[in-house]
Amino acid sequence: MSDMQAILIRGGRVIDPYRQIDSHDEDVWVVEGRVAKAPPTGADVMEVDARGLWVLPRLIDMHVHFRDPGQTWKETIETGSRAAAHGGIGAVATMPNTVPVTDTPELVEWVKNRGEAVGLVRIFPIGAVTVGSQGEELADLFRLKQAGARAFSDDGLPVASSRMMRAALTYSRDLERVIINHAEDRSLTDGASVHEGLAAHRLGLPAAPETAEAMMVWRDVLLAGLTGGWLHLAHVSARESLEALSYARQHQYRVTAEAAPHHLLLNDEALLRWQYDSVTKVNPPLRPESSRQALLKALKQGLVNVVASDHAPHHLDEKALPYVQAPFGISGLETILSALITALIEPGLMTALDAWALMTTGPDQVLGLHSQGLAEGEPADLTLINPTRKWQVDPAAFYSLGHNTPLAGMKLTGQAVATMVGGRWTMREGEVAYAGLSEIS
Ligand code: DOR
């Protein structure tokens, strides 16, 4: 008997957008942290019965806020990692609006190392575009990349100056790292809490039109054309933003975009249901039904190639402030996978293979990860999903420190039943492994 351990995941439906495989006939072997063709002779085999389950390669949520360092009452790298594992997510890209802003190589390394020490999810840090995300001086993008930054963004804030954006996009081309912009013309949104529509008027809340987003998206697209740079649009939500994206596609500019799950499942009528409860307060805000429909269509057409949560946890006391003072943000890591199934797969809008590309090959391309899914020899990062399980969102059960979501009480379809990273189970049947037991191989 050898001591070698092997895991056999048997009988599941393997859906692997990297290899364009959707098959009931593929079993997955895991040996020494990697996907294997077969076990070594004499290996001790642990079999997992995956009948009725979907077997997916690592799901990536490329837009999360872990608040670490600096605002650890909202979330830490450890609690955020636990939330990811619980939600079936194997990799995240963390936004740099920490305190201080992740704008130095030392901070990028710190985030990366802390993520590895926790060992529950692969963390790809995003570095700031400008020093302190203040929009005045370009950060040292070259050194940030060397330290491990997979992308650059001032998310939470737009890169307001066109001149600065032009410079950043020019660097992105040479550095082969994408610029992710949070598009928002702040001179139009200043003081606004919600989308300017009927719900806002009924509640008397300060509001801004979606034109504020679309204007900057158009600017960014035109600058991507001018520079030949690499642009990714964070959380697009406005109808006219999608027209800019379509223009970029026609002209073969290097532009990609993501949608957030709350914009897929909800429109601004959710405000009438939740009234002055700030769980609906998010930036960009919940939009009218016409924009939601346009977004769903853009996903179906492949114009938007990523779904990312914009997981933005805040403390209960902060979200309990009056609507106008409460911070923007929704905790999304523990519902994103089910939201994608409920919004896109269950109604038959997209095939499972195309829909899962939005959390696998889509973000993989944007972050330049070059992984190959569940191909032999790849790290054994995977998620098992029960695709038919219906469950009701209960934020009290979140591992995240943020319990704020307008999806609370909603019935969603499909749930992760196990997450594996580097051959190790980080979650099984809702139970998250303890952090720091072993480093991810
Ligand atoms: O709702 C949001 N919250 N939108 C953002 O752009 C930033 C984020 C945060 O950091 O809380």
Side-chain angles (χ1 to χ4, degrees):
M1 260 312 262
S2 86
D3 298 337
M4 190 83 82
Q5 299 258 329
I7 299 173
L8 169 61
I9 299 168
R10 170 172 271 175
R13 174 177 166 194
V14 174
I15 305 171
D16 184 351
Y18 291 92
R19 296 175 298 145
Q20 283 295 300
I21 283 175
D22 183 347
S23 162
H24 280 94
D25 303 322
E26 203 179 277
D27 294 332
V28 179
W29 282 99
V30 176
V31 178
E32 295 196 311
R34 293 192 174 264
V35 178
K37 232 197 177 79
T41 31
D44 202 358
V45 177
M46 201 188 91
E47 200 170 307
V48 176
D49 182 2
R51 280 174 300 174
L53 303 182
W54 291 351
V55 183
L56 296 177
R58 161 174 74 206
L59 296 179
I60 307 164
D61 186 344
M62 66 161 284
H63 188 144
V64 305
H65 298 270
F66 277 1
R67 317 295 192 199
D68 199 353
Q71 293 180 311
T72 48
W73 65 90
K74 293 176 191 267
E75 192 80 292
T76 67
I77 289 175
E78 179 165 353
T79 58
S81 297
R82 288 167 72 80
H86 188 221
I89 308 303
V92 295
T94 51
M95 281 297 173
N97 63 339
T98 47
V99 182
V101 168
T102 309
D103 61 359
T104 63
E106 291 75 16
L107 278 161
V108 167
E109 265 162 27
W110 186 86
V111 169
K112 224 170 123 224
N113 293 341
R114 183 74 197 118
E116 275 165 20
V118 169
L120 290 174
V121 64
R122 294 187 196 275
I123 292 192
F124 300 109
I126 298 171
V129 176
T130 64
V131 175
S133 287
Q134 292 300 299
E136 276 155 26
E137 193 188 332
L138 211 56
D140 190 339
L141 305 186
F142 177 73
R143 289 182 63 229
L144 291 177
K145 173 186 168 175
Q146 278 187 321
R150 297 301 321 184
F152 305 107
S153 182
D154 280 348
D155 184 71
L157 295 169
V159 177
S161 146
S162 307
R163 179 189 167 94
M164 192 62 70
M165 193 59 177
R166 178 186 183 181
L169 284 168
T170 303
Y171 274 94
S172 77
R173 205 184 46 198
D174 299 335
L175 292 173
E176 270 300 302
R177 285 284 186 276
V178 71
I179 306 292
I180 305 173
N181 200 26
H182 165 126
E184 174 184 350
D185 182 328
R186 304 253 295 176
S187 65
L188 276 176
T189 59
D190 199 20
S193 291
V194 293
H195 171 78
E196 193 173 291
L198 204 59
H201 291 306
R202 286 224 185 118
L203 295 172
L205 288 170
E210 60 180 15
T211 318
E213 173 189 308
M215 279 165 61
M216 193 174 281
V217 167
W218 271 104
R219 180 206 74 171
D220 290 347
V221 162
L222 295 173
L223 287 174
L226 177 69
T227 57
W230 187 7
L231 170 70
H232 179 75
L233 301 163
H235 42 53
V236 283
S237 65
R239 196 179 44 75
E240 287 157 325
S241 301
L242 302 167
E243 285 168 18
L245 197 55
S246 168
Y247 175 92
R249 197 57 55 87
Q250 279 162 32
H251 289 79
Q252 298 180 333
Y253 297 165
R254 201 170 179 192
V255 181
T256 54
E258 77 198 22
H262 41 271
H263 291 129
L264 303 184
L265 285 174
L266 300 174
N267 58 30
D268 64 345
E269 284 169 30
L271 266 73
L272 299 176
R273 205 169 342 118
W274 286 99
Q275 297 279 309
Y276 298 98
D277 187 326
S278 76
V279 286
T280 54
K281 187 169 176 181
V282 63
N283 192 15
L286 299 174
R287 299 295 191 192
E289 181 60 13
S290 52
S291 298
R292 188 180 82 91
Q293 289 300 335
L295 196 54
L296 291 171
K297 194 167 155 208
L299 283 155
K300 189 177 161 66
Q301 291 173 334
L303 208 51
V304 173
N305 65 323
V306 171
V307 168
S309 70
D310 192 5
H311 176 76
H314 294 287
H315 194 274
L316 209 61
D317 289 351
E318 297 164 311
K319 282 302 253 188
L321 286 166
Y323 202 98
V324 174
Q325 277 116 288
F328 291 98
I330 290 173
S331 274
L333 264 170
E334 288 159 270
T335 47
I336 182 171
L337 173 155
S338 311
L340 187 140
I341 295 174
T342 308
L344 303 177
I345 303 176
E346 192 185 29
L349 195 72
M350 292 177 79
T351 64
L353 193 59
D354 287 346
W356 289 117
L358 299 163
M359 292 188 71
T360 54
T361 47
D364 185 290
Q365 265 164 22
V366 180
L367 299 171
L369 301 178
H370 305 295
S371 56
Q372 288 162 57
L374 294 171
E376 188 188 350
E378 285 291 289
D381 292 4
L382 53 87
T383 297
L384 304 183
I385 295 174
N386 179 334
T388 52
R389 184 184 289 171
K390 309 241 185 233
W391 62 288
Q392 191 169 25
V393 178
D394 172 15
F398 284 179
Y399 280 82
S400 169
L401 294 182
H403 301 278
N404 40 286
T405 174
L407 303 185
M410 253 181 105
K411 282 234 166 64
L412 298 180
T413 302
Q415 196 172 40
V417 293
T419 319
M420 178 183 275
V421 177
R424 181 175 155 244
W425 298 110
T426 55
M427 183 275 282
R428 293 198 79 175
E429 273 302 340
E431 289 293 317
V432 172
Y434 285 101
L437 280 183
S438 64
E439 293 201 355
I440 299 171
S441 54

